[in-house]
Amino acid sequence: MNRMYRKVLETSLGAFTLASDGEQLTGLWLRGQKYEKQTIHPTAVEDNDLPLFLKVEEWLERYAQGEAPSIDFLLKPEGSTFRQEVWKHLLAIPYGEVETYGNIAKKMERSHGRAMSAQAVGGAVGHNPISILIPCHRVVGSNGSLTGYAGGIDMKKHLLTIEGVQMNGLYEPRPVR
């Protein structure tokens, strides 16, 4: 097995854990994120100077300043074929725009010729191991609900605000009692 690397990174967006195989980014999790470090290899060694990690840090800082930087490094999220397909749909959502879980399911239905569940799409979105870069924060409920972000609703709102998303029509769901 190839050597795996990790780094804890403090940015203006918050603290992150990064993971890589040395060539490709395999993980980027906000501290405390649901499923944090779920796909990080247990033998990963800390490397704060890995060139890829420095590129990711620069990307995150530019993004935090309101830029829409292009990703000029490789992403390799680990997951099932279904999850990989959902994550490709996430990568197609333009900066500053949102998409619904249901619309992603409909797009997948058209390409597969069979029904796809918005809930299954939501599960795949929630297990995205490369936050922000694979923009799961751009997915909302069909009714405008800002539901389902593993990094928390406040972070989701913050990221959408950075991107200039018009927040009217979007709302924070009330907790179920």
Side-chain angles (χ1 to χ4, degrees), residues 35-139:
Y35 311 116
E36 180 184 9
K37 300 183 243 180
Q38 187 174 31
T39 59
I40 197 166
H41 198 274
T43 63
V45 296
E46 190 155 343
D47 186 340
N48 292 323
D49 299 316
L50 189 69
L52 175 62
F53 289 162
L54 300 175
K55 282 184 174 185
V56 173
E57 181 175 9
E58 178 187 349
W59 190 99
L60 288 168
E61 289 304 339
R62 289 177 59 202
Y63 176 87
Q65 297 303 314
E67 290 183 43
S70 61
I71 299 171
D72 63 351
F73 43 87
L74 298 173
L75 306 179
K76 186 182 179 188
E78 291 181 30
S80 68
T81 302
F82 177 79
R83 287 181 180 177
Q84 295 283 341
E85 186 174 349
V86 170
W87 299 334
K88 283 182 183 168
H89 282 280
L90 299 183
L91 287 165
I93 304 170
Y95 179 94
E97 295 183 25
V98 295
E99 181 64 274
T100 68
Y101 298 97
N103 282 344
I104 293 171
K106 286 177 187 160
K107 289 175 184 177
M108 292 178 70
E109 284 176 10
R110 285 193 291 273
S111 66
H112 288 274
R114 60 183 163 84
M116 293 285 170
S117 149
Q119 289 80 10
V121 167
V125 170
H127 282 85
N128 169 21
I130 303 180
S131 294
I132 304 174
L133 293 165
I134 298 177
C136 48
H137 60 279
R138 295 181 189 151
V139 184

Side-chain angles (χ1 to χ4, degrees), residues 6-24:
R6 69 184 184 313
K7 176 180 182 171
V8 174
L9 175 65
E10 297 284 340
T11 74
S12 58
L13 290 172
F16 293 89
T17 299
L18 287 72
S20 171
D21 63 7
E23 300 294 323
Q24 303 163 106

